[in-house]
């Protein structure tokens, strides 16, 4: 496809699912409250919940993420600019404020899709929370959720992403976004059932 996403989701809710250890618990609660919601998985969260959309800034890893996805046909969306080797990208969203991890990109993509309610699930964005599936390597690039990133450059990276999330809220209208836990719920507030 490698094109523009034209479908609109006015009047609908989407659950934007991250990979924190609270993912499955929060997803169960959220889907009970919003049984008709669409599901947008970020990165490997697609292996924990069946998703209608798969979003990542890391477009080069879509093949890997789809290979473990509960929905092997999930369409992929990225905010990253188009590159020649992007064989697994279905949709590009070039007008996104990059930053605050792929979660920050996902909520902006959901907003541009027209969703009127965006609920962050398994996405506390505290930094160093770990992962629901017990991964957390990172190799040359420290990962936001990996506990080992809490010192040195990793701690700086976590604070930088937190700052970007707060700035993002000030740049564009994200009043339709709520989060079920953690730092992101301090920024956006929690859904009414989750007080």
């Amino acid at each position: 496809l490698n094109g523009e996403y034209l479908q609109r989701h006015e009047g609908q809710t989407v659950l934007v699912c991250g990979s924190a250890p609270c993912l499955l618990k929060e997803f169960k609660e959220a889907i009970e409250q919003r049984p008709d919601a669409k599901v947008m998985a970020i990165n490997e969260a697609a292996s924990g919940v069946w998703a209608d959309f798969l979003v990542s800034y890391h477009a080069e890893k879509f093949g890997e993420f789809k290979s473990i996805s509960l929905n092997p046909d999930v369409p992929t969306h990225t905010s990253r600019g188009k590159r020649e080797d992007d064989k697994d990208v279905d949709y590009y969203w070039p007008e996104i404020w990059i930053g605050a991890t792929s979660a920050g990109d996902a909520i902006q993509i959901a907003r541009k899709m027209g969703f009127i309610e965006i609920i962050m699930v398994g996405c506390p964005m505290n930094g160093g929370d770990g992962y629901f599936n017990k991964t957390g390597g990172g190799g040359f690039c420290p990962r936001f959720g990996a506990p080992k990133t809490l010192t040195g450059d990793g701690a700086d990276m976590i604070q930088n992403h937190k700052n970007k999330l707060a700035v993002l809220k000030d740049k564009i209208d994200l009043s339709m976004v709520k989060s079920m836990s953690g730092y992101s719920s301090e920024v956006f507030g929690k859904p009414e059932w989750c007080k």
Side-chain angles (χ1 to χ4, degrees), residues 23-24 27 41 44-51 68-70 132-133:
L23 169 63
L24 300 179
F27 182 77
E44 64 268 307
S47 70
V49 297
W50 194 97
I68 59 173
S69 175
L70 298 180
F132 81 97
N133 57 359

Side-chain angles (χ1 to χ4, degrees), residues 143-164:
R143 296 202 48 199
F144 185 76
K148 71 178 185 178
T149 63
L150 290 174
T151 60
D153 291 342
D156 293 342
M157 179 263 301
I158 287 170
Q159 191 57 53
N160 185 37
H161 282 314
K162 285 182 168 185
N163 293 345
K164 285 181 182 178

Side-chain angles (χ1 to χ4, degrees), residues 1-6 51-56 59-60 62-63 66 71-80 82-83 85-94 109 113:
L1 299 170
N2 281 275
E4 184 180 354
Y5 187 80
L6 299 176
D52 299 290
F53 317 101
L54 175 57
V55 173
S56 182
E60 73 281 359
F62 273 142
K66 283 186 80 165
N71 175 6
D73 298 319
V74 64
T76 58
H77 298 254
T78 189
S79 61
R80 192 175 78 180
K82 194 171 190 175
R83 299 182 186 182
D85 60 347
D86 284 347
K87 61 184 183 333
D88 296 310
V89 176
D90 294 319
Y91 299 103
Y92 290 94
W93 296 86
I109 290 171
M113 286 178 160

Side-chain angles (χ1 to χ4, degrees), residues 6-84:
L6 299 176
Q7 186 176 352
R8 300 295 296 162
H9 296 276
E10 278 90 357
Q12 294 182 325
T13 295
V14 64
L15 307 179
V16 173
C17 299
S19 299
C22 56
L23 169 63
L24 300 179
K25 177 183 175 286
E26 288 185 5
F27 182 77
K28 182 178 186 287
E29 183 180 338
I31 206 71
E32 285 173 1
Q33 295 293 323
R34 298 292 190 270
D36 296 327
K38 297 288 186 184
V39 177
M40 179 179 285
I42 302 166
N43 302 336
E44 64 268 307
S47 70
V49 297
W50 194 97
D52 299 290
F53 317 101
L54 175 57
V55 173
S56 182
Y57 179 76
H58 310 286
E60 73 281 359
K61 293 187 175 185
F62 273 142
E64 174 188 335
F65 297 148
K66 283 186 80 165
S67 74
I68 59 173
S69 175
L70 298 180
N71 175 6
D73 298 319
V74 64
T76 58
H77 298 254
T78 189
S79 61
R80 192 175 78 180
K82 194 171 190 175
R83 299 182 186 182
E84 284 185 29

